[in-house]
Amino acid sequence: MSVFTIGFTGKTAETFFSTLKESGAKRVVDIRINRTSQLAGFAKEQDMSYFLNKLSNMNYLVNTDLAPTKDLLTSYREREISWEKYSQEYISLIHKRKIIESLGIEY
């Protein structure tokens, strides 16, 4: 299994869904803590399943076990910690949650 990331911020719906379709991926796993924000626009949780299926023939799943904690994300966004510290803490969190093993990913 290969895992890739894609963000939607600053992308049009056309760019976002075209990029996904062209990737050849079969599934999108949404790890966002907040999937219903006004900032999400076309990427709101209630719309993603429909759009992904109709435009890209992909399945949509939510798995917040892969998301950072709200506190960790806030610390980074408010520049209380560096990207390096955020990355270290996020990787530690993933190991604590045993995500790699549960997804069957070789690390």
Side-chain angles (χ1 to χ4, degrees):
M1 171 183 359
S2 296
V3 178
F4 301 94
T5 64
I6 184 171
F8 64 89
T9 303
K11 292 180 177 71
T12 64
E14 179 181 4
T15 298
F16 181 78
F17 291 106
S18 294
T19 300
L20 285 172
K21 186 173 185 173
E22 291 166 11
S23 75
K26 297 185 181 352
R27 177 177 299 134
V28 169
V29 180
D30 193 342
I31 69 164
R32 295 175 294 164
I33 296 168
N34 186 359
R35 295 174 303 282
T36 59
S37 153
Q38 290 292 351
L39 297 175
F42 64 83
K44 289 182 181 178
E45 178 180 8
Q46 63 268 30
D47 297 326
M48 284 293 282
S49 181
Y50 174 81
F51 288 142
L52 286 167
N53 183 271
K54 294 296 181 189
L55 300 175
S56 304
N57 198 29
M58 292 181 177
N59 294 322
Y60 173 74
L61 299 171
V62 172
N63 185 338
T64 55
D65 288 343
L66 294 165
T69 63
K70 286 183 182 184
D71 289 341
L72 178 58
L73 188 57
T74 299
S75 293
Y76 174 69
R77 284 184 174 163
E78 293 183 0
R79 300 179 186 217
E80 296 170 1
I81 62 173
S82 67
W83 174 254
E84 291 76 22
K85 178 72 172 168
Y86 172 85
S87 297
Q88 290 169 355
E89 291 194 26
Y90 178 73
I91 290 169
S92 176
L93 182 64
I94 294 300
H95 285 293
K96 285 179 191 171
R97 292 177 178 170
K98 300 184 185 289
I99 298 301
I100 294 170
E101 296 85 352
S102 72
L103 294 176
I105 299 171
E106 291 186 28
Y107 184 72

